[in-house]
Amino acid sequence: MTHLHTPVTAATGGQPIHSMLAQFPTVCFTLTLLTDVVYWRTSYLMWHEFSSWLLLAGLVSGALALVAGVIDFLFGSAVRAPKATWPHAVGGAVVLALAFLNSLAHARDGWIAVVPWGLILSVATIIAMVVNNWLGRALVFHYSVGVRRHD
């Protein structure tokens, strides 16, 4: 296992902005699946609205995290060096694309906005997000990307 110190470009107070912002879409997209399931089981329109707003919040915060990640990716050659970097970068775009498609599905009215495509896209987004987050954690723990060592 190779341990490198790989600083990132987009950071504040020594902390990578990308990893700070990436937590928000993770929570929003996870809660979207939860509110979709509740809507599917209850047909109460409020849950559909919650899903739509959670998708919007996740997409906005995910876009901000993506911008910070792209800055690190483009301006930090050491960030691009680990083999998990490219799949993580592509995975982030896939997650946002799935969430965007899900947002379009949720823009329809009532039941057909969630069942079945909203639920399917919510599950697909979560699966892609979990895999992508695992790749991102590998960058931190195996390659120390964004980690400042105090030697």
Side-chain angles (χ1 to χ4, degrees):
M1 179 170 11
T2 305
H3 283 284
L4 308 168
H5 167 58
T6 309
V8 294
T9 305
T12 181
Q15 298 296 315
I17 294 171
H18 169 72
S19 63
M20 288 188 285
L21 293 175
Q23 307 312 307
F24 294 102
T26 299
V27 170
C28 290
F29 298 150
T30 302
L31 288 175
T32 297
L33 176 59
L34 181 69
T35 55
D36 279 353
V37 169
V38 173
Y39 176 72
W40 170 48
R41 302 308 299 160
T42 67
S43 299
Y44 193 49
L45 196 55
M46 172 187 70
W47 296 106
H48 170 258
E49 295 296 325
F50 286 165
S51 293
S52 296
W53 283 105
L54 286 164
L55 282 167
L56 177 64
L59 284 166
V60 169
S61 58
L64 293 172
L66 184 67
V67 167
V70 166
I71 289 169
D72 291 337
F73 188 80
L74 292 177
F75 297 108
S77 60
V79 171
R80 291 189 303 271
K83 57 186 167 188
T85 303
W86 277 97
H88 180 63
V90 171
V94 168
V95 169
L96 288 179
L98 286 168
F100 180 73
L101 290 174
N102 198 8
S103 184
L104 292 177
H106 278 77
R108 295 181 292 176
D109 288 331
W111 185 257
I112 62 167
V114 177
V115 180
W117 289 109
L119 277 166
I120 291 168
L121 287 167
S122 287
V123 169
T125 301
I126 295 296
I127 291 169
M129 187 177 60
V130 167
V131 170
N132 197 51
N133 286 348
W134 181 78
L135 290 169
R137 301 292 287 177
L139 289 171
V140 172
F141 289 109
H142 294 295
Y143 301 101
S144 298
V145 172
V147 175
R148 186 181 348 172
R149 291 206 189 158
H150 300 285
D151 293 325

